[in-house]
Amino acid sequence: MSAKFRVEGLTKSYGSNVVVDHLDLEMEEGEFLVLLGPSGCGKTTTLRCLAGLETPESGVIDFKGRHVFDSGRRLNVPAHKRDVGMVFQSYALWPNMTVRKNIAYPLKVRKMREALAGGRVEEAAAMVHCEHLLDRYPSQLSGGQQQRIAVARGLVSRPDLVLFDEPLSNLDARLRDTVRTEIHRLHESLGFGAVFVTHDQSEAFALGDRLAIMRAGRMEQVDTPQRVYADPATDYVAEFIGMSNRLELHRGAEGWRTNAGVDIALERDLPDSDAVVARLWPDDLELYRDLASVPSGVVPLEAELLSSEFGGRTYDVTVAAGQEELRLRASSALHGSWLRGAEEGTKVVVGLRPETMKVYPLDAAAAGAEAVARPLVAAS
Ligand SMILES: Nc1ncnc2c1ncn2[C@@H]1O[C@H](COP(=O)(O)OP(=O)(O)OP(=O)(O)O)[C@@H](O)[C@H]1O
Ligand SMILES: [Mg+2]
């Protein structure tokens, strides 16, 4: 199947600052793509280029075989003719318009008179459970209601592609879950394609058919949540999706060694590098009270407790192992009784299973190399 939405070589600069840098992206019909990346990496700018709110310097944007932007042909279809809906973080409702007029706005600018007359506005309001709010003004709505109206406005014209720019980040945790579920459900029933920007990893894993991790105006990895989780392409991706434990390993006579002098046997030889960085999920590290408790096959790292926070079934524990700070989750049932009163500096042992490590070249990680480096050692 050919891609429905295709972006090729998209470049957008502000002055000398290249914000979107020869970006390529393909999406299938109805696909939900989640865009993740640190602040300033170009997420909003990319969405604005897709929507036609920014003019890129170069590249091609193709929606269903129709070019809406092509720098070579000086083609730039205006925003209201692109069949794209947008939902912003700030809601961006017009304060002087009622909810009804806010939702109707995309139909008006697209001159969709039949839809306007045919009850589409009411239908969109009902989709987000806000049909009773149509005659109010935005200032008379709660944050969650405003965001629902913004979602209704983004969907009302039944666009093929809906762009969501951190639509949930201004909502409190419980509302965020509710609206997130609603967006997910609407996507399932209406089948629009979506690009959804978020900073929240769990939101990204929950919503995305695929995740796109962006770095300095380019895509570092684009893949299913399951594959990104199981096999982050680079140290950057690993860090960004929450694989927060980082250990530097150096080649020694007997194999690989941590900065604290602990030897770790890696299944595979790593030919080109004398230094690598290993990444581990907090869930992949284990907590022990002393060396004697560590089972065979588990590498013990001696450490000192920095903090522990109760989180229900588990404690979030931070320790210092040599120069490295490690995070792990310890079972409340196993460790709650002593962790609750444990003082900072308490000696503990962190258990590491080498097969759960992802290993990347150290220099690429440190220098932010352009090339996408594949992991050198895969988990089992
Ligand atoms: N209108 C503008 N004029 C000049 N520079 C801009 C403009 N808009 C964005 N930038 C710059 O472009 C870069 C990318 O901005 P963008 O808003 O796309 O980032 P982002 O990934 O959405 O970040 P965040 O997660 O903080 O929203 C930033 O360095 C920003 O300062
Ligand atoms: Mg942004």
Side-chain angles (χ1 to χ4, degrees):
M1 189 164 78
S2 67
K4 189 162 185 189
F5 304 105
R6 192 170 55 87
V7 175
E8 228 176 74
L10 192 73
T11 301
K12 171 71 191 171
S13 315
Y14 293 110
S16 60
N17 185 13
V18 183
V19 173
V20 180
D21 187 7
H22 295 88
L23 181 134
D24 296 326
L25 184 65
E26 288 196 355
M27 284 172 65
E28 299 301 338
E29 188 167 351
E31 184 171 2
F32 202 108
L33 184 86
V34 173
L35 196 53
L36 265 177
S39 185
C41 75
K43 302 179 298 294
T44 295
T45 308
T46 301
L47 293 196
R48 291 177 57 83
C49 289
L50 291 176
L53 302 172
E54 295 285 352
T55 308
E57 286 97 66
S58 60
V60 171
I61 303 174
D62 178 317
F63 288 172
K64 296 194 290 178
R66 170 186 173 229
H67 284 193
V68 295
F69 180 80
D70 185 343
S71 54
R73 289 163 46 206
R74 296 180 166 276
L75 173 76
N76 191 11
V77 174
H80 68 277
K81 294 191 173 157
R82 284 197 184 188
D83 199 17
V84 168
M86 238 187 128
V87 184
F88 304 91
Q89 173 179 21
S90 54
Y91 319 146
L93 301 177
W94 284 279
N96 55 335
M97 290 186 196
T98 59
V99 165
R100 186 186 307 279
K101 286 199 167 149
N102 264 285
I103 297 178
Y105 190 81
L107 302 178
K108 279 232 165 92
V109 294
R110 290 174 171 81
K111 300 196 167 51
M112 297 171 71
R113 291 195 188 83
E114 278 177 30
L116 265 173
R120 189 79 75 75
V121 171
E122 291 74 10
E123 183 192 300
M127 282 186 326
V128 293
H129 314 296
C130 290
E131 56 274 49
H132 57 297
L133 302 173
L134 282 165
D135 296 317
R136 291 210 203 160
Y137 285 89
S139 62
Q140 299 168 318
L141 302 176
S142 73
Q145 289 168 336
Q146 290 185 47
Q147 190 54 294
R148 287 197 175 89
I149 301 306
V151 170
R153 186 180 58 183
L155 299 179
V156 71
S157 66
R158 298 195 187 148
D160 280 328
L161 184 65
V162 185
L163 308 174
F164 295 92
D165 197 356
E166 300 190 53
L168 309 179
S169 54
N170 283 341
L171 304 178
D172 70 53
R174 185 138 33 125
L175 250 183
R176 201 180 308 155
D177 283 351
T178 313
V179 182
R180 174 174 99 185
T181 308
E182 281 176 12
I183 292 176
H184 197 78
R185 201 171 37 75
L186 286 169
H187 170 254
E188 306 265 283
S189 63
L190 302 174
F192 51 83
V195 184
F196 185 103
V197 174
T198 179
H199 272 117
D200 183 321
Q201 298 131 13
S202 57
E203 203 168 284
F205 283 123
L207 283 174
D209 291 322
R210 281 191 306 161
L211 306 190
I213 294 93
M214 195 167 174
R215 174 186 199 171
R218 290 191 184 200
M219 295 306 176
E220 181 100 341
Q221 184 174 18
V222 184
D223 213 332
T224 61
Q226 290 76 5
R227 281 201 290 264
V228 172
Y229 181 86
D231 196 12
T234 63
D235 182 49
Y236 175 91
V237 172
E239 158 104 55
F240 206 75
I241 60 170
M243 209 173 185
S244 50
N245 292 310
R246 182 181 187 278
L247 278 177
E248 280 185 22
L249 303 178
H250 296 267
R251 192 192 285 279
E254 303 290 315
W256 294 87
R257 182 165 276 204
T258 69
N259 283 334
V262 177
D263 289 322
I264 297 184
L266 293 178
E267 302 157 14
R268 243 188 276 174
D269 203 21
L270 309 170
D272 291 336
S273 213
D274 280 336
V276 294
V277 48
R279 285 277 174 186
L280 293 127
W281 291 100
D283 291 309
D284 283 337
L285 293 176
E286 293 152 20
L287 186 65
Y288 299 96
R289 295 199 70 178
D290 51 47
L291 282 169
S293 327
V294 179
S296 68
V298 175
V299 176
L301 306 174
E302 292 182 80
E304 287 183 5
L305 191 69
L306 291 179
S307 68
S308 67
E309 291 169 1
F310 179 58
R313 290 170 62 128
T314 56
Y315 275 78
D316 286 324
V317 178
T318 308
V319 305
Q323 298 140 296
E324 267 129 353
E325 206 170 288
L326 301 174
R327 285 166 208 287
L328 59 106
R329 267 188 274 279
S331 150
S332 300
L334 283 177
H335 296 288
S337 55
W338 69 271
L339 265 180
R340 198 171 308 121
E343 289 186 9
E344 187 181 333
T346 302
K347 302 261 183 250
V348 295
V349 178
V350 171
L352 171 164
R353 296 177 189 272
E355 67 274 16
T356 62
M357 296 194 312
K358 294 286 171 189
V359 181
Y360 305 93
L362 177 68
D363 42 5
E370 293 288 305
V372 171
R374 297 299 306 165
L376 300 171
V377 171
S380 53

